[in-house]
Amino acid sequence: MEIIVLGLSHKTAPIELREKLHIPESELPEVLEELGGCGQILERMILSTCNRVEAYAVVDDVEGARRFLVECLAERHKLLPQAFESSLYLLTADQAIRHIFRVASSLDAMVVGESQILGQVKAAYAIAIEQDATGSILNALMDRALRVAKRVRTETGIATSAVSVSTAAIELAKKIFGALTGRTVMLIGAGKMSELSAKHLLADGVGTVIVANRNFDRAVELAERWGGRAVPYDHAKLEMVGADIIISSTGAPHQILSKADFQEIALQRRNRPIFVIDIAVPRDIDPAANEIDNVYLYDLDDLQGVVQANLRERQREADVAEGLIDREVRQFAEWLASLHVVPTIVAMRKKVESIREEELQKIFSKLQDLTPEERHAISLMTSSIVNKILHEPTTELKRQSALKEGHLYVDVLRRLFGIGDE
C-alpha cells in the first residue's frame, strides 16, 4: 500500500497544456467513479485548478495505478499520453505526503501564501467524500493536510502581507488612516487597476466612492456599480478636498495635477492627511506633490517596491513553514508505518488476555469463598499486570515500525508469543 501524487502544475506545464487537462468540478464525480474501476487504486481524489491537475491516491501497485491514471487523462481529453507525460510528476510515500501538505498550505502556489488554494483543496476533498472515493488512509491524510494548512496560516506570517499592487495600496492606506471604515475614495479615470483597488477598499469598509472621468457616462456606470456618485471631470479638483484616498489612472499624456494643486487642496483640508495613488503611465500627478505635509503620494513603482518587499518577507515565512511541514510529514509517516503492526499488537494482547482469563477461572474455582468485590479486585490486579508487561514491547514495536528493519521486530515478536500468520 502506497500514497501517491500524480499530476502536473504551473511549475511543469504551460497554461495551454493545463487548460487541456483541466477537469471541471462538475465532472469530478464521474472521473472518481471511473478511477474506482482500477483494482490498483484503493482510494482517490482529484484536485483540478487553473494551476494544477493532480490525483491523490492510495494504491497497492504504483506502476499499475500510474498507467491507469495516464490512460484515463488521455482518453478523457482526447490526447495522446506523449502530449503530456513529460510534464507529469509521480511522487510516492513521504514525498507525496509532503507535496499534499505544501499544496494545501499554499507553499506550492504561484503566489506563495495566497488563500484560494485551501478552499479548492477542501472542495475537492468534499467531492471525493461524497463519492465514497476515500477511505481511512486518505481521510487521515487530508484531515491532517487541512490542519497543517491552518497551522501554517496562523503560526507564520505567510499570508499577512500584500503581494499585488491593489492590495499593497490598501495596506499603505491602512498605515496612514488605521481603519478605513467611513473613508471617502475618489477615482480619477476608469482603468481596471483603479476599479480593482476600489473593490478592495470597499471590502475594507470605505464608505463613499466618487468617480470622475472624461467620459461622464462611463463615470456614471462605474459609480452605480460601486454605489457611489459620478462628478464632471472638471470638478475633480474641488471634490478632492472631501476625499481621503485618491486613485488616479487616466490615459492623459501629461500630468493633470501639479504640486500647486495639492498645496491648495491640503490647505482646504486643513492638513488632514490625503492618500494619493498614481497608477497612470505616464504619471498623472507631479511627484513633487509628495513633498507637501500630509500628502502621501505613491506611484506604480512605489507600489511594486512594496510588493517585492512583501514577497521577500513571505519567502522568509515560507522557510519557517517548511520546518513545520517537515515535522508534520515525519509524524504522519510514523503513524502510517505503525498501521502494519496493529494486527500483531492486537493478536499479542488477545493471546495474553486469554491466558489471564483462563488462569483467573482456575483460581476462582479453587477459592469459592471469595466475595464479588474480592474477585473484581483480583481481576483488576491481573489486568494491571498484563498492561504493564505489554506496555514496553507495544511501544517499542510502534517505534521500530517506522524504521527500515521494523518488520524484523514484528517477526520476532510473533515467534516469541506464538502468534500465527495473519
Side-chain angles (χ1 to χ4, degrees), residues 107-396:
L107 292 178
D108 197 59
M110 188 175 283
V111 178
V112 172
E114 59 91 6
S115 59
Q116 190 179 14
I117 185 63
L118 181 56
Q120 292 167 329
V121 170
K122 286 179 179 175
Y125 179 36
I127 291 171
I129 290 175
E130 285 174 10
Q131 295 303 308
D132 202 21
T134 62
S136 59
I137 303 298
L138 203 48
N139 285 338
L141 177 61
M142 294 313 301
D143 288 345
R144 179 67 72 97
L146 297 179
R147 285 203 302 274
V148 169
K150 185 177 180 181
R151 284 193 64 194
V152 167
R153 297 193 79 77
T154 56
E155 295 180 23
T156 75
I158 196 167
T160 56
S161 52
V163 290
S164 71
V165 167
S166 54
T167 52
I170 310 306
E171 189 175 279
L172 287 171
K174 285 180 178 175
K175 286 181 180 176
I176 295 169
F177 298 112
L180 300 181
T181 306
R183 297 287 176 183
T184 296
V185 61
M186 182 172 178
L187 308 181
I188 304 176
K192 283 191 175 178
M193 192 71 79
S194 60
E195 272 195 75
L196 193 57
S197 298
K199 181 181 176 183
H200 286 303
L201 284 165
L202 283 167
D204 269 273
V206 161
T208 305
V209 176
I210 302 170
V211 183
N213 193 52
R214 288 191 186 279
N215 183 330
F216 189 68
D217 291 340
R218 172 69 172 148
V220 171
E221 179 191 336
L222 273 184
E224 288 178 348
R225 185 181 305 170
W226 303 121
R229 64 185 173 89
V231 298
Y233 186 76
D234 294 342
H235 294 186
K237 216 164 25 177
L238 289 174
E239 295 288 344
M240 288 171 65
V241 175
D244 302 299
I245 301 167
I246 309 292
I247 303 174
S248 188
S249 65
T250 75
H254 50 74
Q255 292 174 359
I256 62 171
L257 290 163
S258 67
K259 180 179 179 181
D261 291 329
F262 275 95
Q263 283 173 325
E264 188 180 337
I265 291 167
L267 188 64
Q268 293 182 63
R269 287 177 62 82
R270 298 183 179 178
N271 291 321
R272 283 182 293 122
I274 183 168
F275 177 48
V276 186
I277 308 168
D278 183 358
I279 48 182
V281 179
R283 287 175 289 183
D284 286 337
I285 301 167
D286 181 357
N290 201 34
E291 298 168 1
I292 303 168
D293 287 345
N294 292 313
V295 174
Y296 300 92
L297 172 62
Y298 290 84
D299 62 23
L300 206 50
D301 281 357
D302 295 329
L303 294 176
Q304 290 288 7
V306 173
V307 167
Q308 291 305 315
N310 287 346
L311 283 172
R312 289 192 290 273
E313 179 59 27
R314 280 198 179 195
Q315 190 53 55
R316 281 193 287 274
E317 293 299 321
D319 293 341
V320 176
E322 295 285 4
L324 187 154
I325 284 179
D326 282 346
R327 294 189 291 277
E328 292 283 354
V329 169
R330 194 160 50 246
Q331 288 175 11
F332 188 83
E334 287 174 0
W335 172 80
L336 193 63
S338 73
L339 292 182
H340 79 275
V341 305
V342 170
T344 297
I345 293 172
V346 171
M348 177 177 67
R349 293 197 67 87
K350 188 175 178 182
K351 181 150 190 174
V352 175
E353 183 62 27
S354 71
I355 293 171
R356 183 186 77 89
E357 187 62 32
E358 188 178 324
E359 293 304 312
L360 270 180
Q361 294 310 315
K362 285 181 182 175
I363 197 69
F364 287 161
S365 65
K366 293 177 181 177
L367 302 173
Q368 298 286 334
D369 297 333
L370 289 174
T371 65
E373 290 76 15
E374 289 169 333
R375 287 170 176 256
H376 181 64
I378 292 172
S379 181
L380 284 180
M381 179 191 68
T382 56
S383 286
S384 177
I385 291 171
V386 165
N387 287 335
K388 287 181 178 177
I389 290 174
L390 293 183
H391 174 73
E392 194 63 33
T394 301
T395 303
E396 185 62 14

Side-chain angles (χ1 to χ4, degrees), residues 49-80:
T49 72
C50 58
N51 284 329
R52 67 186 67 246
V53 179
E54 294 177 333
Y56 303 160
V58 178
V59 305
D60 64 4
D61 175 6
V62 174
E63 181 52 29
R66 187 197 69 79
R67 282 199 304 271
F68 190 86
L69 285 164
V70 171
E71 287 168 8
C72 279
L73 276 173
E75 187 175 338
R76 169 164 287 275
H77 298 288
K78 311 299 181 196
L79 293 170
L80 291 172

Side-chain angles (χ1 to χ4, degrees), residues 383-419:
S383 286
S384 177
I385 291 171
V386 165
N387 287 335
K388 287 181 178 177
I389 290 174
L390 293 183
H391 174 73
E392 194 63 33
T394 301
T395 303
E396 185 62 14
L397 193 60
K398 286 181 178 177
R399 194 178 71 80
Q400 292 294 336
S401 67
L403 304 179
K404 187 177 178 181
E405 296 183 342
H407 66 282
L408 296 177
Y409 283 76
V410 174
D411 292 342
V412 168
L413 191 139
R414 295 186 81 88
R415 287 189 184 188
L416 289 174
F417 281 83
I419 301 169

